[in-house]
Amino acid sequence: RRKPLYKEASNYEILVDKRLPGAWPKIEQEFVRLVSFASGRDCNRVDLAHSSYFVSLTAKDVGEYLENDRLAAVTAGAHAVELRADLLAAIDDDDVLAKVQWQFAMLRHATSLPVVFTVRTVAQGGAFRGSDDQRLSILHAAIRWGAEYVDVEVDTHAAALYAARRNSLIIASHHDPTGKQLRWSQCEFTTEILHRARACGDIVKLISFANQWSDNMDCLEFVKRYHSLDTPLIALNMGYEGQMSRVLCPVLTPVTHPLLAAKAAPGQISVQQINVARATAGLLPARKMALCGTPIQHSPSPAMHNAAFSALGLPHVYGLFETAEASSLTDLFAAPEFGGASITIPLKQSVIPLLDQLTPAARRIGAVNTVIPVAGKLLGDNTDYLGIVGCLRRSQVTAFPKATALVVGAGGTSRAALYALYTLGIGSVIVYNRTAQRADELVVEFSELFTSLVAVSDLTALESPDYIVGTIPASDLVYPDSLFAKVGVALDMAYKPRWTPLLESAQRHGWSVVPGVDVLIEQGIHQLEKWTHLTAPTKIMADAVYTKYNADN
């Protein structure tokens, strides 16, 4: 009864239903995302300074992608995901808005990627057969739901949607499935459509059909003439002969994936195929990445990153550079083919003088585990803390603002652990270290980040925390039973052996446990995405690590 009033009094809308995948923790995350989006604090937009892609989902039910992390596999390499609402089975139902919203919410719970929301009519090459009023009501609803991008065909209704877009960006589209009307060379119609689209869209999308291969070169020249960061243009040709235009499209290229049952358009290809073609054409130079430090001979990082490069069609190679001296990295970093580095012990602090800049996280942590070449400069970053953040979020048992945490150790890794706990919003933290002085020094340095940060040298007197993060190598340290008096999560950064004393004790008391190898994978995913600007193939990377890890242990 109150729902119409709520809608009239609001600008945005979120579906709250415990039947959604992930239930309440995901609903909370989506609410935070929507508030950030609505306020403009974080609009979750694609960085158009780099080549970018969105994968077009073609199933009749988003639920098909939720089994066995299929969506994560399908979106590998993509920067956004397109919800083709016109292809959904729900589009023909009576209560179409509610059922499309359910599909949108399922997608939101399954991925953090921006959503491109599309309702393509039959005349536009899609499947929607409803009225214009129905189509417009769905598109306006997508804006209310906080879709980052809404694809709107350039017609008499486009201007009204553009005016109502709030923080959504409108992709103003025109599709010519014949390739006879929208021509790229000396065509007044195409120029007219371009200007009309710019008047009612933040991004212009012009899609033609290639009747001959040279149409791709004409399309490329059109893009060179009209595309810029200020006036983004998606322009390409459909059809088999038009595939090269997809390879050359500068931003937000629509892509498919082998796991999808059907392509959204004829000639659509995958991110892997595009990257292979770009590398073959000399548009994607091969880079060399390396793990630097010692000892590193048994590290699974090369297997992880090289598997990812292969899955994404990238020509890059990741190897080992064993050294204990940061000074020996100078030539590696200066090489023209240098594409990035992972930094491990004992170089995480000594490498800093070789770098031009540090991210705020790396500067606050005081350690670097990732080097990224950016426009001729070397940027130092830290993904160790992001690995901890990601793993703890997936294992969350207690709301972070209400939680307490214990960090075991006071070395370099403990600094990343403290910054991770701060990032999660945990205000009360205890640091334990056998050498009390080092723990005290750490508390002084990081105390401003927490409501309460104290150092202790005796674990037996502590009450059970909600989270324990181990940052020391596996040792004979005894964890008293009292630490595990209530349900919690234990994460150990050490991954040899697989079952450290901390994880064994925690599991014995019914706690959730996060092995160090999972943190290794998570931080590696962030490294890869920072080097390549592509969404990582997470399952492929994890499988590669565990294959290597299991063979060595």
Side-chain angles (χ1 to χ4, degrees):
R1 190 174 60 188
R2 297 178 180 176
K3 194 171 181 180
L5 179 62
Y6 291 156
K7 281 195 172 185
E8 186 178 344
S10 63
N11 292 327
Y12 289 93
E13 185 176 334
I14 181 174
L15 180 63
V16 177
D17 192 316
K18 64 182 180 181
R19 296 173 298 168
L20 284 164
W24 296 113
K26 288 291 186 179
I27 290 171
E28 180 183 341
Q29 289 179 23
E30 170 58 6
F31 178 74
V32 171
R33 183 209 65 83
L34 185 60
V35 170
S36 296
F37 178 81
S39 66
R41 189 170 70 244
D42 182 2
C43 291
N44 196 29
R45 292 173 182 165
V46 177
D47 180 3
L48 300 185
H50 304 279
S51 296
S52 50
Y53 314 98
F54 66 84
V55 63
S56 303
L57 302 184
T58 54
K60 292 185 177 182
D61 187 338
V62 170
E64 294 182 24
Y65 302 108
L66 304 186
E67 297 179 4
N68 302 318
D69 288 330
R70 189 176 170 213
L71 186 64
V74 164
T75 56
H79 303 82
V81 56
E82 182 182 31
L83 180 61
R84 282 290 301 270
D86 56 296
L87 300 180
L88 297 172
I91 205 72
D92 296 322
D93 292 348
D94 292 335
D95 193 10
V96 61
L97 272 184
K99 292 184 177 178
V100 172
Q101 185 179 23
W102 175 265
Q103 297 287 319
F104 181 86
M106 280 200 295
L107 183 59
R108 279 294 190 204
H109 280 229
T111 180
S112 60
L113 289 176
V115 173
V116 179
F117 189 94
T118 304
V119 184
R120 190 86 61 225
T121 65
V122 173
Q124 299 159 357
F128 185 70
R129 299 179 182 276
S131 67
D132 266 358
D133 286 344
Q134 288 175 316
R135 179 175 64 92
L136 290 172
S137 68
I138 297 170
L139 292 171
H140 278 290
I143 294 172
R144 283 183 59 84
W145 302 335
E148 289 87 353
Y149 300 89
V150 179
D151 191 312
V152 178
E153 202 75 13
V154 178
D155 57 20
T156 55
H157 305 290
L161 283 159
Y162 182 66
R165 71 192 188 283
R166 301 189 189 99
N167 286 335
S168 297
L169 295 184
I170 299 298
I171 300 176
S173 300
H174 182 82
H175 293 71
D176 175 11
T178 67
K180 295 178 180 178
Q181 194 176 28
L182 191 70
R183 307 297 297 164
W184 304 114
S185 178
Q186 299 178 339
C187 178
E188 290 185 8
F189 175 80
T190 304
T191 306
E192 178 193 347
I193 287 292
L194 173 69
H195 293 317
R196 285 176 56 194
R198 282 185 173 165
C200 61
D202 302 285
I203 300 169
V204 174
K205 180 183 175 189
L206 302 181
I207 309 297
S208 188
F209 190 93
N211 293 297
Q212 54 192 7
W213 196 89
S214 60
D215 289 339
N216 297 311
M217 295 300 99
D218 292 340
C219 181
L220 176 62
E221 290 304 315
F222 188 88
V223 168
K224 287 181 178 179
R225 191 177 310 125
Y226 293 110
H227 167 72
S228 72
L229 283 177
D230 294 327
T231 55
L233 171 63
I234 306 165
L236 54 86
N237 295 312
M238 292 185 287
Y240 173 75
E241 289 185 301
Q243 290 179 341
M244 183 53 69
S245 69
R246 297 179 184 274
V247 173
L248 301 174
C249 183
V251 293
L252 290 176
T253 306
V255 296
T256 186
H257 190 278
L259 290 177
L260 293 175
K263 298 178 180 180
Q268 204 170 65
I269 54 180
S270 68
V271 171
Q272 184 189 53
Q273 289 173 301
I274 289 174
N275 284 333
V276 168
R278 288 175 63 84
T280 303
L283 300 173
L284 183 59
R287 300 298 182 196
K288 291 184 178 180
M289 287 76 162
L291 172 63
C292 308
T294 189
I296 57 175
Q297 287 303 315
H298 297 289
S299 170
S301 291
M304 172 173 65
H305 287 298
N306 286 324
F309 294 153
S310 177
L312 296 172
L314 298 171
H316 311 327
V317 176
Y318 185 105
L320 299 176
F321 192 98
E322 185 143 12
T323 180
E325 300 296 331
S327 58
S328 64
L329 300 176
T330 304
D331 291 343
L332 173 70
F333 290 173
E337 68 273 15
F338 176 67
S342 308
I343 307 298
T344 189
I345 55 173
L347 306 177
K348 290 188 178 184
Q349 291 175 306
S350 60
V351 73
I352 291 176
L354 301 181
L355 309 176
D356 299 297
Q357 294 173 287
L358 298 180
T359 62
R363 185 178 299 109
R364 189 64 187 83
I365 294 168
V368 164
N369 82 322
T370 306
V371 177
I372 310 161
V374 180
K377 303 287 187 180
L378 294 176
L379 175 66
D381 203 348
N382 191 297
T383 64
D384 282 334
Y385 90 95
L386 291 172
I388 298 170
V389 166
C391 288
L392 288 183
R393 277 189 174 144
R394 283 195 296 273
S395 304
Q396 181 179 357
V397 292
T398 303
F400 294 122
K402 299 178 181 178
T404 58
L406 167 66
V407 174
V408 179
T413 308
S414 64
R415 304 171 70 88
L418 285 172
Y419 194 77
L421 298 175
Y422 159 73
T423 301
L424 289 168
I426 296 177
S428 179
V429 178
I430 298 165
V431 178
Y432 166 80
N433 195 58
R434 283 174 170 171
T435 306
Q437 181 180 349
R438 294 190 66 182
D440 290 337
E441 292 170 353
L442 205 61
V443 165
V444 170
E445 188 173 348
F446 283 85
S447 60
E448 65 181 12
L449 301 183
F450 300 95
T451 305
S452 172
L453 180 63
V454 297
V456 299
S457 56
D458 181 9
L459 292 175
T460 59
L462 293 181
E463 292 184 2
S464 177
D466 300 290
Y467 299 93
I468 300 176
V469 180
T471 68
I472 60 175
S475 67
D476 58 355
L477 180 63
V478 175
Y479 293 87
D481 292 343
S482 57
L483 282 181
F484 309 100
K486 62 182 180 182
V487 175
V489 178
L491 178 152
D492 204 330
M493 294 294 285
Y495 60 89
K496 289 186 178 181
R498 179 175 308 195
W499 287 100
T500 62
L502 171 58
L503 298 187
E504 286 182 338
S505 298
Q507 188 182 57
R508 190 169 61 251
H509 288 86
W511 275 38
S512 298
V513 297
V514 180
V517 68
D518 286 0
V519 184
L520 172 75
I521 294 166
E522 183 76 14
Q523 67 81 30
I525 286 167
H526 287 281
Q527 285 183 329
L528 182 109
E529 292 181 346
K530 290 173 183 292
W531 292 329
T532 68
H533 306 287
L534 298 172
T535 301
T538 54
K539 187 176 187 305
I540 287 172
M541 295 175 74
D543 288 347
V545 169
Y546 272 105
T547 297
K548 166 72 172 170
Y549 186 72
N550 291 334
D552 291 347
N553 294 275

